[in-house]
Amino acid sequence: MDKEVDHVKLGENVTKGQQIMNNLTVDKHVTDEEFQNFMIRVTEVEKIVKKLASSDPEEQKHGQILADEILEKRPGRNVCENTGLKVKTNRTVINKCSINENSTDEQMSKEAFMKSVEKDAKERAENRKIRNERAETLKMIGNGAFREKNYEKAVTYYSKALEQRKDSTVLWNNRALSYIQLGLFEKALADCEWALKVSNTNLKALLNSAKCYKQLGNEIKYKEHIQLAKERNPHFDKFINGILNVFLHWKHFYHN
C-alpha cells in the first residue's frame, strides 16, 4: 500500500537540508588537501540532503541511515537489528520498528547531524585562523632576517610559514627573493610558479621569474614573462618599464 507524502515533514526536511548546505562554506585560505576533503564532505552531504528532501518516505529513511553512519561511524544505532547502513534497505525489517521509536530517533539524529556539521565548520575556521596567525609571525621573523641579509635564515622561516599556509603569494615571493639573493635561481623560479598558481596575475612573481630567467641566460623566457607581466597588469605598464631601467636594484622594490 502506497504511503501518502507528509508535505509538512517534507518542507521541514528541505529547510534543514538547505541549512546543512549553507553551513558548508570553504575559506579561500586553504591547502589543496583541505579543499579536497571539503569537496568530499560536500558530496556526502548533498547525497543525504537529496534523500531527506525526497517525497518518497523510504528515500527519507535512507537519508536518515546515511546521516547516522556519518554521526556514529558504525551501523545499526538508530535502525532495527540487521537493517545495516546500505542504500537498499530491507523494508520489511524496518517496519518491525515501532513508528514512535523511528520518529524520535529520526528527529534526534537529524538535529545531531546538523550540530555536527556546524561544529565541523567552526573547527575548520578556527584552525585556519590559528595557522594564519602562526604564518604571519614566522613571516615577520623571516622579514627581519632578510633585512639583516641573513638569507638562509629568511628561507628557513618563510618555509616554516608556508607549512602553515600555502595560499599566500607574499610568502612564495619572499622566499623566491631570498633564493635569488643566494643565487639559487631555479628554486626561486619554482616558488614564483607556486605564487602564480595562487594568482596568475601576480606582478611580483612574474617580474621575479623574468629576473631569474635573465640571470640563467634564458632571454626568450625573460622576455616572455615581461610581456606576461604587461598583459596581465596593463595598468602597471609604466611601472614595469621603469623597473626594467633599474634592473639591478629590484631587491629594494620587491620585499614585504
Side-chain angles (χ1 to χ4, degrees):
M1 179 177 182
D2 294 335
K3 299 179 181 179
E4 294 183 0
V5 176
D6 187 337
H7 292 286
V8 174
K9 186 175 180 181
L10 177 58
E12 291 176 352
N13 283 342
V14 171
T15 300
K16 289 180 180 179
Q18 291 173 339
Q19 292 174 343
I20 292 172
M21 292 304 296
N22 289 338
N23 286 328
L24 284 177
T25 57
V26 58
D27 191 276
K28 66 179 181 179
H29 301 304
V30 297
T31 63
D32 291 340
E33 182 180 356
E34 288 173 330
F35 183 74
Q36 291 301 324
N37 289 338
F38 172 79
M39 292 309 296
I40 291 172
R41 184 76 168 175
V42 169
T43 301
E44 291 175 350
V45 172
E46 282 181 339
K47 290 179 181 178
I48 294 172
V49 170
K50 285 180 181 178
K51 289 183 180 295
L52 291 175
S54 174
S55 59
D56 184 350
E58 288 304 320
E59 281 294 290
Q60 293 181 27
K61 287 183 183 293
H62 295 167
Q64 182 58 55
I65 292 171
L66 292 174
D68 291 342
E69 181 181 17
I70 291 179
L71 286 170
E72 306 299 338
K73 301 300 182 184
R74 66 178 184 271
R77 181 177 178 85
N78 292 322
V79 294
C80 296
E81 185 178 1
N82 298 325
T83 298
L85 293 174
K86 299 179 180 179
V87 175
K88 293 184 179 179
T89 309
N90 187 313
R91 182 179 299 182
T92 303
V93 176
I94 286 180
N95 289 338
K96 289 181 181 179
C97 294
S98 70
I99 295 175
N100 289 337
E101 180 183 346
N102 282 343
S103 178
T104 302
D105 286 347
E106 287 177 9
Q107 181 70 20
M108 292 177 64
S109 295
K110 288 173 185 176
E111 291 176 358
F113 176 71
M114 290 179 66
K115 287 179 181 179
S116 174
V117 172
E118 290 173 0
K119 181 181 177 182
D120 185 53
K122 289 178 181 178
E123 287 178 352
R124 288 200 310 272
E126 185 61 29
N127 288 337
R128 282 193 295 273
K129 181 181 177 183
I130 292 171
R131 287 197 304 273
N132 290 345
E133 289 174 351
R134 289 175 182 167
E136 183 63 23
T137 299
L138 292 165
K139 185 193 82 171
M140 291 174 65
I141 297 173
N143 287 354
F146 188 94
R147 285 192 292 269
E148 295 171 359
K149 298 184 179 180
N150 189 343
Y151 303 121
E152 290 90 349
K153 182 179 178 181
V155 166
T156 297
Y157 279 92
Y158 291 142
S159 298
K160 289 179 182 291
L162 284 165
E163 288 175 5
Q164 299 301 316
R165 59 177 301 183
K166 291 181 169 60
D167 64 336
S168 171
T169 56
V170 172
L171 289 175
W172 289 115
N173 281 323
N174 283 5
R175 193 172 73 169
L177 194 53
S178 298
Y179 280 138
I180 289 174
Q181 302 308 315
L182 293 169
L184 302 174
F185 301 112
E186 276 118 358
K187 286 189 174 183
L189 276 172
D191 279 2
C192 290
E193 288 176 6
W194 275 106
L196 290 170
K197 286 180 181 179
V198 177
S199 173
N200 70 349
T201 62
N202 189 267
L203 186 57
K204 292 181 181 180
L206 289 165
L207 293 179
N208 282 332
S209 294
K211 183 173 184 180
C212 288
Y213 283 121
K214 184 76 170 178
Q215 295 296 323
L216 292 169
N218 191 332
E219 287 292 322
I220 294 177
K221 283 289 186 180
Y222 162 72
K223 291 178 181 178
E224 177 184 318
H225 279 75
I226 292 297
Q227 186 60 34
L228 284 174
K230 291 181 178 181
E231 289 176 359
R232 295 177 184 178
N233 300 274
H235 298 299
F236 289 94
D237 193 69
K238 263 189 187 180
F239 173 76
I240 295 170
N241 290 332
I243 289 296
L244 297 180
N245 293 330
V246 289
F247 189 89
L248 295 177
H249 300 90
W250 276 16
K251 64 182 179 182
H252 299 301
F253 294 96
Y254 286 93
H255 192 267
N256 57 4

